[in-house]
Structures are given as structure tokens and as C-alpha cells.
Amino acid sequence: MDGGSGNDDIFDSILMADERFRGEGYREGFERGTRRGLQTGRKHGATHGAKLSAEISFYYGFAITWKCLLQHNTDAKSRKRMKTLEALLDLTQNPHFDDPRAERLQEEVEKLRAKFRQVCSTLNVPTDFKDYIKTSEGTSF
């Protein structure tokens, strides 16, 4: 009967091969998918982080420039404008922007955008600066 059990082992191994290969294929596919997902996630995060950083930097430079232009004016309207510019500068220095995992990041960005619109309103300048915010795509150097 030992010969019969040897045949059973051969048939069992043949029948179990499908299950074994399916399991190995799943593990291999899962590992590859995880690696690719991490790579894609890093690329996506870096792209969107750079865009957000450029936007915040634009607001900072905008506020600094207008603050320099208005610093010698002493009328009430200019003081109000300076106050809103200071608030915008304070928002650009928010520590939540340094941590992409911060729970309130989106909230803080929306607050910053709202303050920018308010500053533009007090300065009587348009809020559409898409033509001024350019990436390095158009540079020739």
C-alpha cells in the first residue's frame, strides 16, 4: 500500500499546485502593487506639495511687496491695508503648512486664500493672478 500513498502524494501535489501558484501570484502582485502605489503616491505628493508651496510663496511675496509700497503712507485706509497685509503674512507662516499630514491643512489653506481675496479687495487689485504664477515649463535656461 505504500505505492498507493506515493501516488496520492503526486496527485495531491498536482491538485495543490493551482492553489500554491495562485497564492504566490497574489503575494507577488500585492508586493508589486504596494511598491508602485508608494512610488505613485510620492510623485503625486511631491507635485501637489510643490504647487501648494508656490502658491503660499506667491502670497508671501505679494504681501511683502505691498507692505513695502504702503509703509510710508499714514492715512487710515493705508493702516487698514497694512493690518490685512500683516494678517496675510502671519497666515503664510502657519506651521501647519510644514506638515502635509496635518489634519487642518486644507482648512488653513482655505483661510489663507480667503485672506488673500480680502487683501486684494482692500487694495482694489484683481484676485486672478494665474498669468503671474508660472512654473519652470516656460523658462529657457
Side-chain angles (χ1 to χ4, degrees):
M1 292 231 170
D2 284 342
S5 69
N7 287 337
D8 287 343
D9 288 341
I10 291 173
F11 288 119
D12 282 345
S13 67
I14 291 171
L15 292 173
M16 299 303 284
D18 180 49
E19 188 175 321
R20 189 179 75 239
F21 289 133
R22 188 176 308 177
E24 289 174 8
Y26 173 82
R27 279 191 302 280
E28 186 179 319
F30 186 82
E31 289 169 5
R32 285 184 183 178
T34 300
R35 279 194 304 275
R36 178 161 290 161
L38 287 171
Q39 291 168 346
T40 303
R42 282 189 189 108
K43 186 177 179 182
H44 181 78
T47 300
H48 287 280
K51 287 178 183 177
L52 181 60
S53 178
E55 181 181 354
I56 293 169
S57 297
F58 172 79
Y59 296 149
Y60 179 79
F62 178 88
I64 290 291
T65 302
W66 275 99
K67 189 176 171 186
C68 289
L69 291 171
L70 297 174
Q71 69 185 351
H72 298 296
N73 296 351
T74 57
D75 59 292
K77 199 172 197 179
S78 291
R79 283 194 303 270
K80 182 179 179 183
R81 289 174 175 171
M82 288 293 281
K83 188 176 176 181
T84 58
L85 285 166
E86 287 291 337
L88 180 63
L89 283 170
D90 288 344
L91 287 174
T92 61
Q93 303 303 312
N94 190 328
H96 290 289
F97 297 142
D98 294 334
D99 182 12
R101 294 171 288 161
E103 293 178 17
R104 298 185 52 198
L105 179 63
Q106 189 65 34
E107 243 177 78
E108 298 297 326
V109 170
E110 290 303 321
K111 229 161 86 172
L112 178 63
R113 289 174 180 153
K115 183 56 76 175
F116 174 71
R117 287 190 298 273
Q118 179 188 9
V119 167
C120 287
S121 176
T122 61
L123 295 171
N124 295 323
V125 295
T127 58
D128 186 14
F129 284 92
K130 290 182 180 144
D131 293 336
Y132 298 103
I133 302 174
K134 300 218 185 249
T135 60
S136 60
E137 296 168 2
T139 56
S140 61
F141 54 91

